[in-house]
Amino acid sequence: MEKYITFIKNAWENFIYDDIINEQIRSEILESWIRCKKYNVNPMGGKGKNKHSNIKELIDKNRELIKIAKPVMESVYKIVEGSSFAMILADKDGYILEVIGDEDIMDRVNELNFLKGELWSEEEVGTNAIGTALYLKNQYKQ
């Protein structure tokens, strides 16, 4: 796993600093990197910085989703508890609705503003699981 992380990090740095594309990178990831460059996302940012203007309204609008998903999240979390794991629930636009995780990982979650109400689209944060999933979902709609 460490080898793979080093490979991705090196490929990303080559892409960011020298516009070198490594064809071994999964297409979904590479395409996200390219989109993020077009969006002018700060590649060194990687933090949520766009909080929903009305979190209460956001939660109310997604009450049914949260009601169904939160018990599942809590159940899965009990299985992985203690393994530096976090579970995130986001809405259809990429706003975070719930975060559950171990204390050590929650410190990192706070540092990154991976918090309730933050927007985690590719346009805002860059390549990330939530943003890329949203992009792919919207592509399949068209």
Side-chain angles (χ1 to χ4, degrees), residues 23-70:
E23 298 294 333
Q24 293 179 312
I25 300 295
R26 284 183 34 210
S27 62
E28 299 89 352
I29 295 171
L30 183 56
E31 290 165 8
S32 175
W33 291 356
I34 292 167
R35 285 191 303 274
C36 291
K37 241 185 192 185
K38 287 180 185 172
Y39 300 145
N40 290 316
V41 175
N42 176 357
M44 302 307 165
K47 291 183 177 185
K49 59 187 178 300
N50 187 351
K51 194 174 242 8
H52 193 278
S53 60
N54 187 335
I55 294 177
K56 183 182 178 337
E57 177 185 301
L58 176 69
I59 299 303
D60 286 345
K61 186 168 87 173
N62 291 282
R63 186 157 311 285
E64 192 67 24
L65 173 63
I66 295 167
K67 180 181 173 185
I68 292 167
K70 192 167 181 180

Side-chain angles (χ1 to χ4, degrees), residues 44-121:
M44 302 307 165
K47 291 183 177 185
K49 59 187 178 300
N50 187 351
K51 194 174 242 8
H52 193 278
S53 60
N54 187 335
I55 294 177
K56 183 182 178 337
E57 177 185 301
L58 176 69
I59 299 303
D60 286 345
K61 186 168 87 173
N62 291 282
R63 186 157 311 285
E64 192 67 24
L65 173 63
I66 295 167
K67 180 181 173 185
I68 292 167
K70 192 167 181 180
V72 175
M73 291 173 68
E74 290 169 344
S75 178
V76 172
Y77 175 69
K78 286 179 185 174
I79 296 168
V80 298
E81 189 173 6
S83 61
S84 295
F85 192 88
M87 295 190 68
I88 313 302
L89 176 65
D91 76 355
K92 65 180 180 57
D93 299 315
Y95 282 102
I96 296 178
L97 302 173
E98 285 290 335
V99 182
I100 300 172
D102 292 339
E103 190 174 319
D104 60 332
I105 198 73
M106 293 306 283
D107 289 341
R108 185 72 176 133
V109 162
N110 288 326
E111 287 173 23
L112 296 174
N113 286 335
F114 212 54
L115 305 168
K116 195 179 287 191
E118 290 289 339
L119 179 60
W120 273 74
S121 66

